[in-house]
Amino acid sequence: MVLTFLSPYVVFGHVINFALEKTQDPQVVWFYLKLGVRHIIPLGADHILFVTSLCLLSTRIKTILWQATAFTVAHSVTLALSMKGILVAPGAVVEPIIALSIVFVAIENIFLHELKPWRIGIVFLFGLIHGLGFASALNEIGLPRNKFYTSILSFNAGVEIGQVIVIACVFAIIIVPFGKRKEYRKFVVWPVSILIAIIASYWFMKRILL
C-alpha cells in the first residue's frame, strides 16, 4: 500500500539500478556514499543554506548539534519510507516547501536570540520534507534490488558527511573568527540570514511558477 502525500499520483517503490545489481558491496557503498556527498556538496545549494541557517542562531556547538540531530533523524525516516514507496510526494510540492523552510529558519535567526523548544520540532518537520527531496534525487539514479539497504544507508551516510562538512566550514569561516565579538549578531547573523532568506524566497517563487 502506498501513501501519497499531497499528490494525485501513485508511485510504486523505487527506480531500479540494474547496472549495480551484480556489483560487489564495497563498490556499491562507495558509489552511493559519493552520491550522497555530491547531493550536498556541490549540488545541494538549498540544503547547504538550510544547514548554514541552523548554525547561526547560536555559537554553542550543543545548540547546533541538537538541531542537526533532529534534522538527520527526520530526513533519514522519510528518505527510507519514500524509497520503499510507502510515502510519496511530487517534487512540485516538496521543492517549494524546502525553499520555504530555509526562509523560515533564516528569519527566525533574526528575531530569536536563543534556541527555543519549538525550534527543534520545526527543524524535525522540515527534515521530513528534506528527506523527500533527497529521495527524489536518489530515485533519478535508482537502487539495486538486492542491495537496497546497503545503497540507501551509504547514500544517507554521504549526505551526513556533506552536512558535517558544511557545519565545519561555517564554524571555521564564521563562528570561530566572529562568534565571540560583541556585534556578531548585528554584523554577521542578521545580514547573512537576510541574504539566505532572499535567495530562498527567490527559489520558492521560481519553483511554484515552474
Side-chain angles (χ1 to χ4, degrees), residues 104-125:
F104 184 92
V105 174
I107 291 177
E108 261 202 335
N109 288 341
I110 297 172
F111 292 100
L112 295 182
H113 291 273
E114 60 182 11
L115 184 72
K116 301 296 183 181
W118 70 75
R119 174 75 175 244
I120 301 297
I122 289 172
V123 170
F124 183 85
L125 290 176

Side-chain angles (χ1 to χ4, degrees), residues 44-54 56 71 94-110 119 122 126-127 129-130 192-204 207:
D46 48 358
H47 302 298
I48 290 174
L49 290 191
F50 185 81
V51 174
T52 298
S53 293
L54 297 184
L56 294 177
F71 181 65
V94 172
E95 294 304 320
I97 297 177
I98 288 177
L100 277 182
S101 72
I102 301 169
V103 175
F104 184 92
V105 174
I107 291 177
E108 261 202 335
N109 288 341
I110 297 172
R119 174 75 175 244
I122 289 172
F126 286 151
I129 302 299
H130 281 249
V192 172
S193 296
I194 290 171
L195 178 61
I196 289 175
I198 291 173
I199 294 172
S201 296
Y202 167 75
W203 286 340
F204 172 73
R207 291 172 183 181

